[in-house]
Amino acid sequence: MTEPRDDLDIWLHTDVNPLPPPPGTFELIRKRARRRKVRRATVSAASAGAAAAVIVTAIVALPKVMPSVLHQHPTGNSALADNSPSGPSRSMAGSPTPLSSGSQSASLPVLPPVPAHFEPTSATFVGLKTGWVIGQAGTPGACYTQYCTSIARTDNTGASWYGVPAPATGAPDGSTGVGQIRFLNLDNGWAFGPELWATHDGGHSWTKISTGSLRVLSLETGGSEAFAVLGQGCTGAGSDFAAGCGQYFLWSSPADSDDWAPVPSLPGFTAADPAAGSATVVLSNGVGYFYTPAGLLESGPTGGPAGGPAGGPAGGSGAWTQVSATALPCLPGAAQPGGRPSAGQLAATTPGNLALACPDSQGTGSALRDIIYTSVNGGQSWQQRGTVRLGAAAYSLAAASGGGLVLGTGAGIYYSSDYGASWHQTLTAVSGGFSYVGMTSPAQGVTVPAQPQQQAIWFTLDGGQQWLVSAIRN
């Protein structure tokens, strides 16, 4: 007679095969152990009065680990960047104040440092918190590579910055180098002026795009596309790479590829006087405006979700047409270093609503001023709105919230709350003033100093009325 089956006894005497841990468990344990060792070593060094030596050692070692962390967000995942409409809460009272990085959790990964002596020449943001600046850093021959072109990224609206990869090229020098940057989203970005480089992996790697003998003078993004103004026959040297161009073209490409081609129906535009010509493109909510060297305005859809269905050989643009046979109130003028026009500064608030700042020929010296014109029908007609006394040249115009306009000049930043009828200065000039101002949202914007030696950029969180300085360093 067999004994009754005892399931409990069978289970107790059966060989047990332990289940494997979840994937990544051992790597997580190793990482935590390393962090614990680092914390203990830091505390021990500090108590022994050797904290400075530890910090120096860490900084010296960082370039060796850069390839493994260059594509990381401070939380460890670049896809988790907070680009929500609600920006950080900071005091806006008083004169421009530095942005503070605050304390950083010990659990965050160590990020690559911003190269020493970083001098920014351009900035771009894809949300209220995440942005990039490009410029030159270090001393030639003493950079991380043979090139000193560098890029820094922030994920907290400029409270802190960290180094990321940059195109393997130098500063703008005639037909070579780059000094400007634009990103459409967290993946797709471009460095340009006069060369063209593209990234489609968030800046982890950069590829040079061939433009033949044409120089890239300006570039903007909208919908699902990038648009660039290219110059042919340009003779400018050094940082004046956009000077002396004989013809100007508008090209576009789908943002996630490098399929650059002329925008349909737009021929090349000839400058009557190459020494005094320039052109630029402005995009606003699915509509683009090409400001030609003759002062005419071409307009069309930017393609993608905001601009309607794809239609052109470049993968997104429909045909662009001339807005009016009448030129705008002023010509773009000669090109500035960096590619922007030196005379007419064009901005778009919403499709059809445009603003233009034109130098007043009657104003000279300290009485130098700009006349502000506006259009409510996409540039078909213009009305004089007001004047702004600057005492220096105007470099860049941007639209803010509630009819606001922000003007970057050699004398500082000027703000209008009534679409250009009246103005007041909201940021006193640093040496040389501000070469570019742009709005990420109706309330938040950024301005870049004309002299990169400032090693900083400035933010506004209230549409241009007050500004905060952000030094480009960790």
Side-chain angles (χ1 to χ4, degrees), residues 61-73:
L62 275 172
K64 298 181 180 179
V65 302
M66 283 177 65
S68 65
V69 296
L70 283 173
H71 196 44
Q72 291 184 356
H73 180 268

Side-chain angles (χ1 to χ4, degrees), residues 110-465:
V110 176
L111 295 169
V114 176
H117 310 298
F118 188 99
E119 298 182 353
T121 54
S122 180
T124 180
F125 273 73
V126 299
L128 300 185
K129 295 189 176 182
T130 299
W132 296 258
V133 292
I134 192 171
Q136 296 294 303
T139 303
C143 301
Y144 289 146
T145 67
Q146 61 177 314
Y147 305 103
C148 285
T149 298
S150 304
I151 297 177
R153 172 172 166 166
T154 180
D155 291 295
N156 52 20
T157 321
S160 62
W161 300 83
Y162 57 97
V164 294
T169 189
D173 185 11
S175 62
T176 64
V178 294
Q180 304 292 308
I181 190 168
R182 293 290 183 272
F183 268 77
L184 174 65
N185 49 40
L186 288 173
D187 295 320
N188 301 297
W190 298 265
F192 62 95
E195 295 176 351
L196 178 60
W197 293 70
T199 179
H200 303 295
D201 57 11
H204 185 70
S205 61
W206 292 86
T207 301
K208 185 177 180 180
I209 309 302
S210 175
T211 59
S213 61
L214 279 68
R215 301 182 185 183
V216 179
L217 313 181
S218 66
L219 186 150
E220 298 295 342
T221 64
S224 59
E225 287 186 283
F227 289 79
V229 177
L230 286 82
Q232 187 175 52
C234 308
T235 59
S239 61
D240 289 322
F241 62 87
C245 303
Q247 277 195 309
Y248 297 82
F249 303 87
L250 184 64
W251 286 20
S252 68
S253 171
D256 57 0
S257 71
D258 299 317
D259 186 18
W260 287 92
V263 169
S265 74
L266 283 190
F269 293 86
T270 302
D273 180 4
S278 65
T280 190
V281 62
V282 174
L283 309 179
S284 176
N285 298 316
V287 179
Y289 302 93
F290 182 38
Y291 189 15
T292 74
L296 296 172
L297 197 62
E298 305 281 339
S299 180
T302 60
S317 295
W320 285 41
T321 58
Q322 189 177 107
V323 172
S324 171
T326 303
L328 273 62
C330 62
L331 302 181
Q336 304 176 46
R340 295 187 58 80
S342 61
Q345 306 299 333
L346 181 67
T349 53
T350 58
N353 289 282
L354 306 174
L356 180 69
C358 294
D360 183 2
S361 59
Q362 303 301 316
T364 59
S366 60
L368 194 67
R369 64 179 189 171
D370 268 27
I371 301 175
I372 309 301
Y373 297 88
T374 60
S375 173
V376 295
N377 54 16
Q380 297 179 49
S381 61
W382 295 83
Q383 301 78 38
Q384 183 173 333
R385 178 71 177 174
T387 60
V388 51
R389 184 168 175 172
L390 305 173
Y395 295 140
S396 179
L397 179 66
S401 60
L405 292 174
V406 186
L407 188 63
T409 79
I413 298 294
Y414 290 79
Y415 170 77
S416 171
S417 62
D418 50 14
Y419 210 36
S422 61
W423 295 81
H424 65 276
Q425 189 173 18
T426 59
L427 181 55
T428 303
V430 297
S431 179
F434 298 91
S435 61
Y436 171 80
V437 60
M439 300 301 295
T440 307
S441 74
Q444 181 176 311
V446 62
T447 186
V448 180
Q451 295 187 1
Q453 297 85 347
Q454 301 294 331
Q455 299 182 20
I457 62 175
W458 277 255
F459 286 91
T460 179
L461 304 178
D462 60 4
Q465 300 176 65

Side-chain angles (χ1 to χ4, degrees), residues 18-33:
L19 292 174
T25 299
F26 295 116
E27 180 62 24
L28 178 62
I29 293 173
R30 284 194 292 269
K31 288 181 178 179
R32 289 179 175 175

Side-chain angles (χ1 to χ4, degrees), residues 5-152:
R5 176 183 176 88
D6 189 341
D7 292 334
L8 178 62
D9 184 68
I10 293 173
W11 179 77
L12 290 172
H13 290 83
T14 300
D15 292 338
V16 177
N17 293 319
L19 292 174
T25 299
F26 295 116
E27 180 62 24
L28 178 62
I29 293 173
R30 284 194 292 269
K31 288 181 178 179
R32 289 179 175 175
R34 285 196 295 268
R35 287 199 296 266
R36 185 176 182 184
K37 289 180 180 180
V38 170
R39 288 197 297 268
R40 286 183 173 179
T42 303
V43 171
S44 175
S47 63
V54 173
I55 294 173
V56 170
T57 302
I59 293 175
V60 171
L62 275 172
K64 298 181 180 179
V65 302
M66 283 177 65
S68 65
V69 296
L70 283 173
H71 196 44
Q72 291 184 356
H73 180 268
T75 61
N77 186 345
S78 62
L80 298 179
D82 185 353
N83 294 291
S84 60
S86 58
S89 174
R90 293 191 180 93
S91 171
M92 298 295 292
S95 59
T97 55
L99 290 162
S100 173
S101 60
S103 60
Q104 188 177 29
S105 170
S107 64
L108 297 180
V110 176
L111 295 169
V114 176
H117 310 298
F118 188 99
E119 298 182 353
T121 54
S122 180
T124 180
F125 273 73
V126 299
L128 300 185
K129 295 189 176 182
T130 299
W132 296 258
V133 292
I134 192 171
Q136 296 294 303
T139 303
C143 301
Y144 289 146
T145 67
Q146 61 177 314
Y147 305 103
C148 285
T149 298
S150 304
I151 297 177

